[in-house]
Amino acid sequence: MSTADCDVVIIGSGPGGATAAEVLCDAGWSVVVLEKGRNHLIDLDAPHEPLRHFANDELAAHRRHLLGPDPLLEPRTYRRTEADGDRLLVGEVNNLPSTVGGGGVHADAKLPRFREEDFRLRSERGPVEGASVEDWPITYDDLEPHYSAVERLFGVAGDDGANPFAAPRSTPYPLPPGDDMPMAVITAAAAERAGLHPYRAPTGINSIAADGRPACTDCGFCGGYGCPVQAKNDPIAALQRALRSGRCELRPESYATELVLDASGRRATGVRYLDLTEHPEPTTREVRVRHAVVLAGGAFETPRFLLRQGLGGDLVGRFLTFHHQTFTVGIFPEHGFPHGTGGERGRCVTHLHDDLLVDTADLRRAAAAAGLPWVRGGVVEHGAGNMPVEEAVTYGPGRHHLSSMRDSALRRRMWVFTMQGEDLPQAVNRVDLDPSVCDVWGAPSGRVTYAPHRHELVASAYAVPLHEGIMRDAGAEAAFSAASPPQGELDLHATANPLGIAPASRHVMGTTRMGAGPARSVVSPEQRLWDVDNVVVGDSSVFVTSTGYNPTLTLAALAHRAATLLVGSC
Ligand SMILES: Cc1cc2nc3c(=O)[nH]c(=O)nc-3n(C[C@H](O)[C@H](O)[C@H](O)COP(=O)(O)OP(=O)(O)OC[C@H]3O[C@@H](n4cnc5c(N)ncnc54)[C@H](O)[C@@H]3O)c2cc1C
Ligand code: SF4
């Protein structure tokens, strides 16, 4: 068994782990990053240029699990409530990529900040029966300098002052906004006519050449794909800086299995991991740490890792939140569609509106009618994706196939509003260990028990007629809506794709909540485990509420803050 000494081991190389690595290396600390997945992102040899393994390849990205995880090798399980029995399905449950760079490689990188109210939801709006709405132990002002720092690190392109609801900023966006998707300009104008306030999405993608990498070419294969020109910044820029410091060692295919604790059990002295590069049997290795371990495996894998050792207390895994997504789809006439493209060109999403996160008399009325004190929707993305293979499969074989593909209702002529609805935390929604399903290396699979609160369904019902009306006003021939996860009686045997019943927002939060004391939280305001002093959580597991905003900029800002505090404390 080999050992390596370093100041900090970071588990996970996604946006959270990469940000922590950059801060710690910049402070002169030595870091080992253990990453379970393979490396397709960055040359491990200096000068650490992008590997450029990616192409506009839907089969590789979506069918062959290029970025992992393969759900046959690393299955998760899902049930809506305990009443469903041990599980309803085994396979893919809201997976994020398992690869160097984590979900940042896949994401189309809308990176909005949260607003002041998001950190004080209980004080500002009050409790909701059946949910655990709490204030965060930190404020927007505590996080603001770290938001600015990670916006610089990820090179966020945005339009200062364009969102009237945005929280105050101490620095402008580092890059100007990128090109608008043509259809977004049309739906943004229709949203304005409906009294809403759309704005250009802040995006962690180079709008101009920056940081040694080119500008985005608007290739259209963005959300769900690695970037062929490496214009996405999240999190390659942070990993490059850490590696170029000479103080960071990144070990792909290294699956952390266990914290090594000292005799008191209150201090981690290292991490054990499986070296998956060893075939056929992975070797167990250990890295010994001087100062600390940062857990940044994402809000599903971080609690799973802790639960295997019974660390972190009884609340580990609880208060799991996803966003409740409401999709409003518009199908537009061919001739009315600019440049013949829906999601075929562009970065998938170029415009957002936040109006349904703001307290209005209308939303209060909708809440009161449903017997709720208040209701919040979420940020609404104006966009569309590009998946021609999926489109072909959807149309199916037959004489109609060629004409359907040419007509392309689901690609060229389709446009979607996706509302990332605020998902209220509930103790019953959780990640725990499945009693009998394991991954290919023999570790218990994580099991999701999750059903939305009534609040989410009320917000979704409010959004549907509003957004369908905007779609029609923008010129859609037809507009319809759906939500994820679907609700109601689901006959698994009758469903063509039983995996379709599981949530699929790709936003995962809340499973090691931060708080002022151990009775109601898993980590301190500094994101340290209450029961193991030198273990810090550096991902969205620590979120107290989900808010209705995309989580990645905030989890990276939190990782930046936690790593900065760690350096200051030693
Ligand atoms: C298609 C898509 C689009 C998205 N779009 C957006 C968006 O526009 N905006 C936004 O904010 N978010 C978006 N997201 C979500 C975003 O990707 C996640 O919020 C973000 O990646 C989470 O970062 P993280 O560092 O916490 O975890 P992850 O990105 O999940 O990284 C964790 C890493 O840790 C590794 N790991 C886990 N356990 C272990 C272990 N035991 N040992 C070693 N390594 C381990 C994993 O393999 C993984 O690589 C999107 C996601 C997808 C898939
Ligand atoms: S749209 Fe731009 S950022 Fe997205 S994958 Fe294509 S080139 Fe890269």
Side-chain angles (χ1 to χ4, degrees):
M1 186 185 289
S2 74
T3 59
D5 264 342
C6 60
D7 291 320
V8 175
V9 171
I10 299 175
I11 300 175
S13 64
T19 302
E22 196 274 340
V23 173
L24 296 170
C25 291
D26 191 49
W29 286 25
S30 59
V31 168
V32 171
V33 180
L34 300 176
E35 169 53 58
K36 171 160 77 74
R38 287 192 293 261
N39 180 22
H40 294 291
L41 190 68
I42 188 166
D43 192 342
L44 298 182
D45 293 324
H48 307 293
E49 292 297 328
L51 284 177
R52 299 247 182 166
H53 284 187
F54 304 124
N56 295 156
D57 186 344
E58 186 183 345
L59 287 177
H62 291 274
R63 307 251 158 180
R64 296 185 185 137
H65 310 294
L66 174 75
L67 300 176
D70 182 333
L72 285 178
L73 304 180
E74 298 180 68
R76 296 174 173 184
T77 67
Y78 173 67
R79 59 184 181 172
R80 290 169 299 184
T81 67
E82 288 185 10
D84 287 330
D86 280 348
R87 67 194 74 77
L88 284 177
L89 65 85
V90 179
E92 207 257 85
V93 184
N94 220 357
N95 286 7
L96 285 167
S98 179
T99 188
V100 168
V105 178
H106 241 217
D108 42 323
K110 287 85 63 186
L111 298 179
R113 296 182 178 196
F114 293 180
R115 293 161 49 233
E116 293 104 315
E117 182 185 54
D118 293 309
F119 299 87
R120 299 174 32 80
L121 202 53
R122 190 180 178 96
S123 301
E124 298 279 339
R125 298 278 186 117
V128 177
E129 199 184 327
S132 174
V133 177
E134 304 284 350
D135 290 348
W136 293 45
I138 60 171
T139 64
Y140 175 81
D141 287 345
D142 294 324
L143 207 53
E144 201 285 331
H146 304 283
Y147 271 132
S148 288
V150 291
E151 283 175 345
R152 271 196 305 280
L153 190 58
F154 292 171
V156 178
D159 200 354
D160 290 311
N163 177 8
F165 306 120
R169 323 169 43 86
S170 61
T171 51
Y173 284 112
L175 299 181
D179 289 337
D180 299 333
M181 289 171 83
M183 198 59 219
V185 176
I186 292 175
T187 51
E192 272 177 16
R193 288 195 291 277
L196 307 183
H197 301 81
Y199 61 98
R200 291 193 170 106
T203 308
I205 290 176
N206 277 358
S207 52
I208 52 175
D211 217 9
R213 292 189 320 284
C216 165
T217 60
D218 285 319
C219 73
F221 291 82
C222 200
Y225 299 88
C227 177
V229 299
Q230 208 51 73
K232 290 184 189 178
N233 301 338
D234 158 20
I236 190 170
L239 288 174
Q240 262 181 339
R241 280 173 210 223
L243 289 166
R244 285 175 180 166
S245 74
R247 290 183 282 276
C248 178
E249 190 193 335
L250 173 55
R251 298 187 190 173
E253 298 178 65
S254 298
Y255 179 15
T257 52
E258 197 182 340
L259 287 175
V260 184
L261 301 174
D262 72 3
S264 74
R266 288 203 58 93
R267 194 171 171 79
T269 58
V271 177
R272 284 205 187 97
Y273 68 97
L274 294 178
D275 181 347
L276 305 179
T277 63
E278 303 275 342
H279 299 290
E281 283 298 312
T283 308
T284 299
R285 301 187 189 282
E286 187 177 321
V287 196
R288 302 187 67 78
V289 294
R290 200 164 296 120
H291 294 313
V293 175
V294 175
L295 306 182
F300 181 93
E301 292 295 338
T302 288
R304 178 177 173 233
F305 178 83
L306 290 169
L307 286 164
R308 287 172 62 177
Q309 277 180 280
L311 295 173
D314 296 339
L315 296 181
V316 171
R318 292 195 181 273
F319 306 111
L320 167 70
T321 50
F322 301 128
H323 283 137
H324 186 75
Q325 294 184 313
T326 304
F327 310 102
T328 297
V329 179
I331 307 291
F332 288 75
E334 176 77 40
H335 61 271
F337 215 75
H339 314 309
T341 66
E344 272 184 317
R345 292 284 182 273
R347 303 180 301 286
C348 287
V349 174
T350 57
H351 288 64
L352 307 173
H353 62 258
D354 291 9
D355 298 73
L356 272 61
L357 280 161
V358 178
D359 203 2
T360 62
D362 232 23
L363 273 163
R364 286 270 172 183
R365 270 193 294 277
L372 292 166
W374 48 267
V375 71
R376 287 192 357 143
V379 72
V380 176
E381 304 173 355
H382 298 218
N386 198 7
M387 294 177 66
V389 175
E390 184 67 30
E391 184 184 21
V393 170
T394 306
Y395 295 145
R399 291 170 68 86
H400 67 282
H401 188 84
L402 272 182
S403 58
S404 297
M405 285 302 281
R406 276 197 211 101
D407 178 56
S408 191
L410 298 182
R411 183 166 34 112
R412 284 196 197 130
R413 302 203 290 114
M414 189 176 92
W415 194 250
V416 185
F417 293 141
T418 303
M419 184 170 85
Q420 307 285 0
E422 172 134 17
D423 181 8
L424 298 190
Q426 304 172 67
V428 288
N429 285 348
R430 65 189 299 198
V431 173
D432 68 356
L433 299 180
D434 191 281
S436 49
V437 179
C438 291
D439 68 21
V440 70
W441 302 286
S445 291
R447 172 174 65 180
V448 166
T449 305
Y450 174 87
H453 188 280
R454 198 159 51 85
H455 162 272
E456 283 84 272
L457 307 182
V458 172
S460 178
Y462 179 90
V464 164
L466 175 68
H467 289 146
E468 289 184 0
I470 295 170
M471 277 293 184
R472 284 198 203 90
D473 182 44
E477 285 173 335
F480 56 92
S481 300
S484 168
Q487 298 302 299
E489 283 304 311
L490 300 169
D491 179 352
L492 289 182
H493 301 290
T495 307
N497 174 15
L499 294 181
I501 69 164
S505 65
R506 315 296 166 193
H507 296 171
V508 188
M509 299 153 284
T511 48
T512 69
R513 233 180 189 197
M514 63 155 87
R520 299 172 66 153
S521 62
V522 177
V523 299
S524 70
E526 296 76 31
Q527 296 170 228
R528 290 177 183 242
L529 286 185
W530 289 113
D531 62 353
V532 189
D533 300 328
N534 63 337
V535 175
V536 172
V537 180
D539 59 36
S540 50
S541 307
V542 305
F543 283 23
V544 179
T545 50
S546 73
T547 84
Y549 288 103
N550 318 66
T552 306
L553 188 77
T554 298
L555 76 87
L558 286 164
H560 192 278
R561 175 175 174 275
T564 306
L565 292 173
L566 183 63
V567 169
S569 71
C570 290

